[in-house]
Each structure stands twice: as structure tokens, then as C-alpha cells.
Amino acid sequence: MKLTPEQIDRLYQFTRQHYVEWYDLQTELVDHLANSIEAQWQENPKVSFEDALQVEFKKFGVFGFMDVVEQRQLALNKKYNSIIWKHFKAFFTIPKVILTSGIIGLTFFLLKNLRFKADVVLIVFGIIVLSFYFSIIYLSRKNKKISKSTQKKWLFKEIILGRSSLVGMTYLPIQIIIHSEKVMDNPYGIFIISFLIVAMALIEYIILIEVPRKAEDYLKETYPEYALENAN
């Protein structure tokens, strides 16, 4: 026995009722549930669809699908971080390393020769952090509009367009460092601060521009069904 289209729709509805809001995870769970239900029917064709569904759902434990969701989130976050790291490393290989070194050198020169160094650095970091969060809000709202129009949410797409923590975590320790006179009066300390400013700006650029610009490629690589739906 095979599931009918109506029963497949019921499985999608069932996953949504149990707090799985992303279409990619819904599809994985629906495939798993469908195969398991059909396996039950091979052993006992008299089992009703709903009874077979409840039997399979109980196998996920007291937390239901939450463990599956968490595992998938961890895996996709790891994948996303590796993508960010790959793009970041690219700025330190030829030919991009020439431009990166030039920007670090320019930042070092400006900090070394500007008065009120700490205040200048704080202003620069403040602008970077604020622009980062405003951009994240914009990207998140844009993604929500697209999801609403297509009626489908993709977990990896939300991660790509909704990451908002990397730069903010960097801000506080750097703020502490630059208020140390020993650091800011030392050429090596100024160089470290210069490198961190450029690194922070690069991460922001990668998260807000580079990766979202290639989001479709990463989504098609991650989800075969996404590639088929967007083939045209």
C-alpha cells in the first residue's frame, strides 16, 4: 500500500502542528513518516493511517520532532560557519590579500596619527555594529516577505539571511582593549586593533553581501527540491 496525496498533505499538516515550520525539515520528516507507515502496512494492512502515524510519532520520544529540529539546526549552522570561514580566508590569499593588507596598513596609519585614538576606534566600531544590525533586520524582513508569498520557509535560508551575533560578540572585548593606554600607545597594539577593525568589517561584508549574493547557489546545493522548484 502507498500513501495517497491527501495522506501526504496530512503528514505535512501534522509536522506543522508539532512546531516544524520549515519546509525542508517538514519534507524530511514526511518522507521518514511515509516510509515507516508503508512499512507498517506491509506487516499489517489493517492498521489505519492515523494509528500508524501515532505509532511512528511516539518513536521520536517525549519531545517529538524537537530533537530532529535541533540536530538539523546545528548541522546547518556548522555548514554556514564553514562558508563564512571559507570566504574570510579568501581575503588573505592572492590576489585579495594585497587589498586586505593595504586596508589594514591604512587603518594602522590613521590610528597611529590620529588624536583621541580610543574615541575614534569606538566610533568606527559603533558604526559597523549599528549598520550590521540594521542590515540584519532588513534581510530578515525581506526573507519573511518571500516566505509569505511562497508559503515555504527554508531553515538554511533563514540562517543565511538572519545571522546577527558574530560582530556584536566581538565589540565588547575590543572596546576593553582600546581603553588600555599601553595598547594604544604601542605600535604592535595599534596594529592588532587595525587588524581587528578590518577583520570585523570583512565579516560584516561577507555576512551581509557575499553570502546572501550567493544564497541561491548554496540553497540549491543543500536542497535538491529547492533547485527543482527554482529551475525556471
Side-chain angles (χ1 to χ4, degrees), residues 36 44 65 73 89 105 109 174 186 204 209:
S36 299
N44 185 3
F65 297 135
Q73 285 176 328
K89 288 192 298 183
F109 175 80
I174 294 176
N186 186 313
E204 180 177 350
I209 297 176

Side-chain angles (χ1 to χ4, degrees), residues 146-164:
I146 295 172
S147 298
K148 188 175 181 180
S149 64
T150 60
Q151 296 296 313
K152 291 178 181 178
K153 296 172 67 175
W154 302 82
L155 180 54
F156 197 41
K157 189 173 186 178
E158 289 201 350
I159 291 173
I160 290 174
L161 299 182
R163 181 57 62 88
S164 60

